[in-house]
Amino acid sequence: MTDKIPVTVLTGYLGAGKTTLLNRILTEPHGKRYAVIVNEFGEIGIDNDLVVGADEEVFEMNNGCICCTVRGDLIRIMDGLMKRKGKFDAIIVETTGLADPAPVAQTFFVDQDVSDAARLDAVVTVADAKWLAERLKDAPEAKNQIAFADVIVLNKIDLVSEAELGEVEARIRAINPYARIHRTQRCEIPVTEVLDRKAFDLDRIIEIEPEFLEAGHHHHHDEEMQSFSFRAGEVDPAKFMPWITDLTQREGPSILRCKGIVAFPDEPQRFVFQGVHMILDGDLQGDWGDAPRESRVVFIGRNLDAEAIRAGFMACAV
Ligand SMILES: Nc1nc2c(ncn2[C@@H]2O[C@H](COP(=O)(O)OP(=O)(O)OP(=O)(O)O)[C@@H](O)[C@H]2O)c(=O)[nH]1
């Protein structure tokens, strides 16, 4: 038991701050070696390029949602990692914002080879203090992510008042009275509060989901959820910036998440932007180096006019 590799499942709804937390964990001087498995929703992998390098190995799973079609991939990656036991101290799995964490956690109990070699240490859920209450109304995944959490990182406290924070905490407590809740800005939290917690409690989970240990999985994704991604070469910042700003302001309520890595002419660094509804962030990050100067953008939302967004993006190309 003791030499099983601890696995942390990092979950949380679209845009809550999972990658922010992951990067924080990976850049702290902890002296540990982590293997990271990143799963994202969308055909073009973006998160992989936004996870800080260092010594970690990052395995990407882009073919679908980790809790559905790619569970086989997760088992295969885990099997591969187990053969290289001793090369790292822990495994972190970052799920997509639309994943139900139950079947991901289940993999560590139901698959014999995986459960012989690894133990689920904790499900860590990052919650967006500004948007969680809304998502609890319309996104069943958001509720499951809270219900299954052993540790909840209640993030983006800078965007809400103390009273709103109290309300969202009460909503969380009503769903999950057990998890430890940490209030954070930019996921600032000691690594020891999220890793190696020995917190996953199978009995509690079986109370929430009696069929947890049975094979089979009935997760129905939100049928209205759209995800699309576009590529172009270099884009003109004088066109791109007003376009993306205007789009997120106008369509913000329908855009749950957008992000991209963009190449501006004569700019040695990559422009990285991130949006959650109408809140948009962007800055220059990391040199292109020898990588092809290609712009990639991803949008996830409901009732979006994909063709209009595609045309708007393509019109920014140089
Ligand atoms: N205001 C504010 N913004 C934050 C905070 N933490 C993260 N963000 C921003 O929120 C956006 C989403 O953060 P990510 O870490 O990429 O979120 P994620 O959960 O990995 O997103 P997906 O993987 O796409 O679901 C980025 O623009 C971050 O800079 C915070 O505490 N306050």
Side-chain angles (χ1 to χ4, degrees):
M1 171 80 195
T2 44
D3 64 349
K4 287 189 183 186
I5 298 185
V7 180
T8 303
V9 173
L10 193 58
T11 182
Y13 205 68
L14 293 169
K18 297 175 292 296
T19 307
T20 304
L21 178 58
L22 181 61
N23 281 337
R24 193 171 280 286
I25 294 170
L26 298 181
T27 46
E28 285 216 348
H30 39 58
K32 295 246 163 76
R33 290 156 309 161
Y34 298 113
V36 180
I37 303 174
V38 183
N39 170 226
E40 64 184 302
F41 195 79
E43 302 131 52
I44 303 182
I46 295 237
D47 278 12
N48 192 32
D49 289 339
L50 301 180
V51 174
V52 288
D55 295 336
E56 291 77 17
E57 291 187 57
V58 179
F59 300 86
E60 204 175 356
M61 300 165 61
N62 283 339
N63 306 322
C65 174
I66 194 169
C67 70
C68 301
T69 50
V70 293
R71 196 155 139 218
D73 279 3
L74 177 60
I75 293 176
R76 263 192 302 282
I77 291 178
M78 286 294 302
D79 281 345
L81 287 177
M82 293 312 144
K83 296 204 176 76
R84 298 161 43 204
K85 231 172 146 177
K87 286 226 159 62
F88 41 78
D89 305 295
I91 298 171
I92 304 173
V93 183
E94 180 190 347
T95 74
T96 81
L98 295 171
D100 178 350
V104 180
Q106 202 185 28
T107 307
F108 297 94
F109 294 90
V110 175
D111 185 83
Q112 191 63 46
D113 292 339
V114 173
S115 69
D116 284 349
R119 71 174 168 82
L120 182 58
D121 182 66
V123 174
V124 175
T125 300
V126 184
D128 184 323
K130 184 163 174 66
W131 298 108
L132 180 73
E134 290 297 309
R135 295 294 79 76
L136 289 177
K137 290 182 205 151
D138 65 11
E141 295 89 354
K143 191 168 175 189
N144 285 349
Q145 291 164 355
I146 296 293
F148 267 79
D150 303 298
V151 176
I152 295 173
V153 178
L154 182 55
N155 190 39
K156 305 198 190 181
I157 59 171
D158 54 309
L159 299 181
V160 293
S161 67
E162 186 62 32
E164 288 170 305
L165 203 52
E167 273 167 42
V168 70
E169 237 173 44
R171 299 290 304 275
I172 293 174
R173 277 283 165 249
I175 298 168
N176 183 336
Y178 305 99
R180 182 106 194 240
I181 303 178
H182 300 273
R183 296 177 171 192
T184 65
Q185 189 173 343
R186 302 230 161 246
C187 295
E188 200 165 324
I189 184 173
V191 171
T192 48
E193 293 293 342
V194 283
L195 297 185
D196 215 3
R197 303 295 306 162
K198 302 192 176 61
F200 188 80
D201 181 351
L202 189 58
D203 292 341
R204 181 174 78 78
I205 294 307
I206 287 174
E207 241 169 66
I208 306 175
E209 193 161 312
E211 292 108 56
F212 181 74
L213 291 180
E214 290 161 28
H217 162 48
H218 329 277
H219 175 213
H220 298 293
H221 280 286
D222 185 339
E223 308 250 303
E224 289 165 20
M225 192 68 77
Q226 304 160 282
S227 162
F228 40 82
S229 43
F230 309 115
R231 290 172 199 263
E234 293 183 328
V235 304
D236 178 355
K239 291 182 183 157
F240 179 78
M241 300 305 249
W243 171 73
I244 190 76
T245 308
D246 175 64
L247 179 68
T248 47
Q249 291 315 302
R250 260 187 311 110
E251 304 286 335
S254 312
I255 300 176
L256 287 161
R257 190 78 176 97
C258 66
K259 52 189 159 181
I261 300 177
V262 178
F264 293 148
D266 304 320
E267 173 53 65
Q269 290 195 299
R270 309 176 310 167
F271 179 76
V272 175
F273 75 92
Q274 302 259 6
V276 179
H277 293 290
M278 47 282 267
I279 299 174
L280 189 66
D281 249 5
D283 55 16
L284 294 169
Q285 283 181 18
D287 279 348
W288 283 99
D290 296 333
R293 296 175 63 91
E294 180 188 60
S295 302
R296 294 172 282 161
V297 295
V298 173
F299 292 85
I300 301 172
R302 298 196 184 99
N303 307 314
L304 295 175
D305 183 344
E307 184 42 41
I309 295 177
R310 192 194 68 80
F313 174 59
M314 291 306 172
C316 302
V318 291

